[in-house]
Amino acid sequence: MSNIHNPQSAFTLHNNYKIPCLGYGTWRADEQTAFASVKIAVEMGYRHIDTAAGYKNEAGVGQAVRESGVGRENVFITSKVFNDNRGYKTTLNAFEKTLSELKTDYLDLYLIHWPASAHRFDNWEQINLDTWRAMTELYKAGRIKAIGVSNFKPHHLRALMETEVKPMVNQIEYHPGQTQEETVSFCRENNILVEAWGPLGQGRMLSNPTLAETAAKYGKSTAQLCIKWCLQNGVLPLPKSVTESRIKENSEVFDFEISAEDMKRINEMPYIGGSGNDPDTVDF
Ligand code: NAD
């Protein structure tokens, strides 16, 4: 892991590609909102944007990156193939659609948004392997710099570990009280970088008294504490806000260090709420 002193510092993926250590989330921002807020974020110094075909805002994200003027090569863009496009040919087509929405000729990172799971598909492993084969081909052709998955638990990941190119990233729900230890350990053992979606518990963490008290000790907000806690655990946070002051606040996490004692206390917190979406039971 590289140092984490500014939002452009990077983690290094197992193929040596660098990924800026603080991402900017765009879920539930429509195209116009994504355009305006991503532009603000990039102008403020964020260099890593997380979008997905399923968010229906890729065009706004692409336009913001172009109009920010910092140069496509200086912004790390992630997108994801959604569940309705799992499979080989469908993934190849979905990728072309994503590039044309973003108006770019490559992606930095492409993820399988959710695994096909046993409760919906008898041949779930084969479906994930077919999707992965398409992503591998695009990666080997240089059209994607890194490939990975999202919401994969160890049993979903295991089915991909015998393939030619192993996943470089797993983006999972991760915040205090929801640390998915088994998945995180599996990823660490296999050199897969974990990214945190919902690092603020989609806002649910922000009213927790233990977190608020701990944050106050450092003169920081609860949001900043949650973001820094991810980083100190070696997990890449993707906080989302469309409000300029909060976008700024969420990037100001490189001027303090959470003590080992406080890290331990947060790491051991019980479940205090989350999305409730389990990849093995979701109905989408
Ligand atoms: P989050 O934990 O980032 O929380 C966002 C919420 O917190 C918003 O309602 C926002 O208004 C509020 N907030 C943000 N900063 C704040 C601050 N400083 N003070 C007070 N309130 C603040 O939740 P999220 O958006 O669900 O997750 C982050 C990103 O992760 C998404 O935008 C998306 O890019 C990604 N994501 C991926 C998946 C997946 O399945 N792969 C699922 C959900 C989200």
Side-chain angles (χ1 to χ4, degrees), residues 136-200:
T136 302
E137 249 177 56
L138 294 163
Y139 170 70
K140 286 173 74 181
R143 304 189 68 204
I144 313 174
K145 305 297 183 187
I147 50 177
V149 297
S150 177
N151 299 303
F152 273 48
K153 292 164 127 180
H155 56 280
H156 304 117
L157 280 165
R158 255 178 227 115
L160 297 187
M161 296 315 289
E162 302 306 316
T163 57
E164 184 188 354
V165 180
K166 317 278 183 286
M168 290 143 204
V169 167
N170 188 14
Q171 182 181 122
I172 59 172
E173 182 172 6
Y174 184 90
H175 48 74
Q178 181 147 4
T179 50
Q180 303 213 44
E181 273 160 46
E182 210 191 319
T183 301
V184 171
S185 301
F186 184 94
C187 289
R188 288 215 175 102
E189 282 156 22
N190 288 283
N191 231 336
I192 299 169
L193 177 73
V194 176
E195 293 185 345
W197 69 252
L200 315 177

Side-chain angles (χ1 to χ4, degrees), residues 24-27 50-51 55 80 113-114 150-151 171 196-203 206 221 223 238-241 246 249-250:
Y24 175 77
T26 66
W27 185 36
D50 184 78
T51 182
Y55 302 169
K80 314 181 189 91
H113 207 146
W114 291 85
S150 177
N151 299 303
Q171 182 181 122
W197 69 252
L200 315 177
Q202 300 173 321
L206 304 179
S221 69
L238 303 164
K240 181 245 179 174
S241 170
R246 288 175 173 175
E249 177 186 323
N250 293 347

Side-chain angles (χ1 to χ4, degrees), residues 1-11 20-22 228 231-232 251-257:
M1 183 180 42
S2 320
N3 70 37
I4 46 171
H5 299 305
N6 73 59
Q8 289 143 40
S9 292
F11 290 94
C21 71
L22 178 65
K228 188 61 179 238
L231 286 167
Q232 287 187 218
S251 72
E252 292 172 338
V253 295
F254 299 96
D255 56 357
F256 77 113
E257 198 72 22

